[in-house]
Amino acid sequence: MSILEIKNLHVGIDGKEIVKGLNLTINSGEVHAIMGPNGTGKSTLSYALMGHPSYEVTEGEVWFKGQNILDLEPDERSRLGMFLAFQYPVAIPGVTVANFLRSAINARRRAENPEDKGVSIPEFRKMLKEKMSMLKMDPAFAGRYLNDGFSGGEKKRAEILQMAVLQPSIAILDETDSGLDIDALRIVSEGVNTLMNEEMGVLVITHYQRLLNYIKPHFVHVMMGGRIVESGGPDLALQLEEHGYDWVREKYEAAE
Ligand code: ADP
Ligand code: MG
């Protein structure tokens, strides 16, 4: 079953078109990777999917679990089961990781049923303990203030824990930023591999071929000039590592 279907998506920032007719379908149980050179619109795509107000969708459709989501607010998309890992997570001193996660769960429960009293503290603690043990995380981590003084790896850990608790239908991980050291790569990839199941889909956006040595994508796509210009299996990532993007660019320019 298709979870996410992007049809002819065009996205602009300040009137400048960045994403120019992108098509992509992700079915449940599939991990897709989008790779591509810097400035090609990968982050623009992920922000537009999540409904960031600065990114204007000028054409196209995005279907998520059978619903056209382009008119929905970011929080509505999130409640439907979309999850976007932030490249620059915000620090919230005074709010622990555990409290943040409990608020997130309660917000979602109340959206489904305004009468909901929220998850009880013992129930939440038990669930959090299980998730943290599954992800091999130190329980003390839950007591720290969210992203406050976190290392790159710890930010990734908080992100993956959030994903474990919210159990999204689709996780979009934009990992293009520098500062993804080996530790962070390992945390993200082990987390995704542990949490991945037949009901969900994952979209990993990266220009690091290395990440794909850890997360095994079923499909690899190359984005260039705001569009997907080449798709293939995991071998495509290896080809890109070995030969770079020039051969794709030449092929794409020849076809224009
Ligand atoms: P990628 O993630 O593939 O490196 P981006 O989506 O970040 O690419 O950027 C694509 C293009 O859009 C770049 O030319 C970038 O300068 C431009 N861009 C991105 N964000 C903004 C913004 N907030 N305002 C203006 N231009 C932007
Ligand atoms: Mg980017």
Side-chain angles (χ1 to χ4, degrees):
M1 190 190 80
S2 99
I3 293 191
L4 188 71
E5 227 179 316
I6 306 171
K7 294 181 184 169
N8 186 34
L9 187 70
H10 292 250
V11 183
I13 312 165
D14 297 335
K16 184 179 164 213
E17 187 168 66
I18 307 287
V19 174
K20 302 170 183 172
L22 187 135
N23 294 290
L24 178 67
T25 299
I26 299 180
N27 295 307
S28 49
E30 291 177 354
V31 177
H32 289 243
I34 293 186
M35 304 184 70
N38 265 325
T40 206
K42 303 185 297 300
S43 294
T44 302
L45 170 68
S46 59
Y47 283 121
L49 290 177
M50 219 44 219
H52 191 297
S54 308
Y55 297 78
E56 196 198 350
V57 173
T58 50
E59 206 181 323
E61 294 168 17
V62 179
W63 293 82
F64 177 59
K65 295 197 286 193
Q67 187 172 351
N68 190 345
I69 56 156
L70 287 178
D71 290 332
L72 301 182
E73 296 298 323
D75 62 315
E76 295 173 305
R77 299 182 197 202
S78 162
R79 272 185 245 123
L80 275 179
M82 289 184 84
F83 177 84
L84 174 69
F86 287 102
Q87 239 175 297
Y88 304 102
V90 184
I92 317 185
V95 175
T96 62
V97 170
N99 277 337
F100 172 75
L101 293 173
R102 198 156 66 88
S103 307
I105 291 177
N106 286 341
R108 196 169 61 180
R109 285 172 57 143
R110 280 199 203 101
E112 277 159 20
N113 171 17
E115 306 289 303
D116 192 284
K117 298 272 184 292
V119 59
S120 77
I121 290 181
E123 192 190 336
F124 173 72
R125 283 209 180 120
K126 182 164 170 278
M127 188 265 278
L128 190 60
K129 204 175 144 198
E130 281 167 11
K131 302 282 183 196
M132 293 188 85
S133 130
M134 178 171 82
L135 294 166
K136 300 191 185 71
M137 288 180 189
D138 178 357
F141 184 66
R144 292 186 55 190
Y145 293 150
L146 184 69
N147 292 318
D148 193 21
F150 279 16
S151 68
E154 286 165 342
K155 285 180 185 165
K156 292 291 146 187
R157 215 165 258 143
E159 200 168 73
I160 292 297
L161 185 59
Q162 207 179 321
M163 189 173 145
V165 165
L166 293 176
Q167 295 183 283
S169 303
I170 190 132
I172 302 165
L173 305 155
D174 185 354
E175 302 297 339
T176 50
D177 200 23
S178 56
L180 254 198
D181 56 19
I182 286 292
D183 188 38
L185 279 180
R186 199 178 43 78
I187 291 161
V188 171
S189 48
E190 283 178 4
V192 167
N193 292 337
T194 306
L195 299 175
M196 183 62 193
N197 60 55
E198 283 307 307
E199 271 81 57
M200 74 180 285
V202 172
L203 177 59
V204 187
I205 300 176
T206 183
H207 67 200
Y208 289 104
Q209 199 281 329
R210 272 192 316 182
L211 182 65
L212 306 181
N213 292 335
Y214 301 88
I215 298 178
K216 294 273 175 255
H218 301 96
F219 300 94
V220 174
H221 311 276
V222 180
M223 186 168 173
M224 216 172 259
R227 232 174 295 170
I228 287 174
V229 297
E230 186 83 23
S231 294
D235 288 355
L236 182 54
L238 299 175
Q239 234 172 312
L240 292 168
E241 185 179 36
E242 203 173 329
H243 306 292
Y245 289 108
D246 284 353
W247 64 276
V248 188
R249 190 175 284 118
E250 278 161 23
K251 208 171 124 177
Y252 159 65
E253 280 167 2
E256 281 288 283

